[in-house]
């Protein structure tokens, strides 16, 4: 799956050029990026290995297989990729069964998008089993669809997840606003041709052409997102 060339942006029937809003999950809508790292530290600690804090920026926001493979290779732990992937997902599900804290502004933004019937998708590198658990907190009815990392041939930082979400919603990528919290996710959305709002959670996201960086979702509302996409006529 490859990115498409942006088409001229015209107004929709409601007078706005924005066709859809695509949102990342961990660290963007729910405050769980730290959960993943804590679990990885615990799991590798039980295997007799201490994780370097500097590795956190390497594994954040990426697909489970990439992050897990990096940690196995870096530590030399005696565990297979398949075993580690299952273990990390199980531990994460146990953790979010106790609590799934929302990021500041997430509840308000999702309610606003739903109130105005804006097509909305959840696009995550997490596996389907994890996304479905988190959706119970976010409200599955607020999303027209969700895309999981284990449902695409190439997940973030490749453009495939966002291209799939846009096409399924019948939207052009250039008319989609994406909200992401990691450099990996931003790279995926920008490669798909979407307009990106970056809300950094772990690590630094530098400024870039067409990229908007905010400190919190509390700075984001529907007029803000609509203003990102300028109609041509």
């Amino acid at each position: 799956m490859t990115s498409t060339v942006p088409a001229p942006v015209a107004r929709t029937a409601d007078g706005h050029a924005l066709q859809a809003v695509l949102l990342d999950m961990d660290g963007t809508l729910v405050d769980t990026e730290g959960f993943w790292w804590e679990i990885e530290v615990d799991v590798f600690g039980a295997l007799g290995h201490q994780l370097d804090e500097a590795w956190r920026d390497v594994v954040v926001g990426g697909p489970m297989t990439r992050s897990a493979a990096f940690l196995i290779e870096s530590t030399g732990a005696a565990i297979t990729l398949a075993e580690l992937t299952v273990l990390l997902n199980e531990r994460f599900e146990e953790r979010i069964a106790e609590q799934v804290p929302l990021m500041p502004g997430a509840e308000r933004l999702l309610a606003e998008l739903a109130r105005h019937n804006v097509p909305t998708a959840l696009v995550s590198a997490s596996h389907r089993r994890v996304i479905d658990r988190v959706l119970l907190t976010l409200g599955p009815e607020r999303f027209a669809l969700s895309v999981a990392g284990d449902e695409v041939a190439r997940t973030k930082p490749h453009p495939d997840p966002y291209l799939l979400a846009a096409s399924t919603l019948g939207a052009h990528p250039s008319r989609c606003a994406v909200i992401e919290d990691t450099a990996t996710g931003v790279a995926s959305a920008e490669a798909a041709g979407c307009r990106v709002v970056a809300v950094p959670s772990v690590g630094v996201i530098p400024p870039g052409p067409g990229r908007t960086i905010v400190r919190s979702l509390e700075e984001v509302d529907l007029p803000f997102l609509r203003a990102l996409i300028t109609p041509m006529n």
Side-chain angles (χ1 to χ4, degrees), residues 28-207:
T28 299
L29 291 177
V30 290
D31 191 8
T32 51
E33 287 289 15
F35 287 8
W36 284 110
W37 179 248
E38 291 167 10
I39 291 167
E40 288 160 349
V41 168
D42 288 345
V43 167
F44 279 89
L47 294 170
H49 298 275
Q50 182 176 350
L51 299 188
D52 189 323
E53 183 69 23
W55 296 343
R56 185 173 184 173
D57 288 344
V58 178
V59 301
V60 69
M64 169 72 71
T65 51
R66 188 196 71 181
S67 300
F70 170 82
L71 294 175
I72 292 173
E73 181 179 359
S74 298
T75 60
I79 188 171
T80 67
L81 179 58
E83 291 170 337
L84 180 58
T85 298
V86 170
L87 182 56
L88 292 176
N89 275 322
E90 289 178 345
R91 291 285 298 276
F92 187 80
E93 287 184 65
E94 292 171 1
R95 182 68 179 273
I96 62 177
E98 302 169 6
Q99 181 186 30
V100 185
L102 299 185
M103 297 297 287
E107 172 64 29
R108 174 200 50 76
L109 178 59
L110 290 176
E112 182 180 15
L113 295 175
R115 188 166 60 251
H116 290 274
N117 298 312
V118 178
T120 304
L122 188 66
V123 183
S124 176
S126 290
H127 288 191
R128 170 54 57 189
R129 57 188 289 184
V130 170
I131 288 179
D132 286 346
R133 283 289 188 94
V134 176
L135 277 172
L136 296 177
T137 296
L138 294 176
E141 72 282 354
R142 288 172 162 172
F143 301 92
L145 78 147
S146 57
V147 177
D150 56 341
E151 295 175 339
V152 289
R154 302 185 306 170
T155 188
K156 304 173 186 180
H158 297 287
D160 305 40
Y162 283 110
L163 290 174
L164 175 60
S167 64
T168 303
L169 291 175
H172 193 280
S174 67
R175 302 179 69 172
C176 295
V178 169
I179 305 179
E180 273 280 0
D181 73 303
T182 67
T184 299
V186 168
S188 173
E190 290 183 340
C194 303
R195 293 301 302 269
V196 178
V197 177
V199 192
S201 62
V202 178
V204 176
I205 299 177

Side-chain angles (χ1 to χ4, degrees), residues 15-30:
H16 301 287
L18 178 69
Q19 287 185 330
V21 176
L22 316 177
L23 303 113
D24 174 54
M25 187 176 76
D26 295 299
T28 299
L29 291 177
V30 290

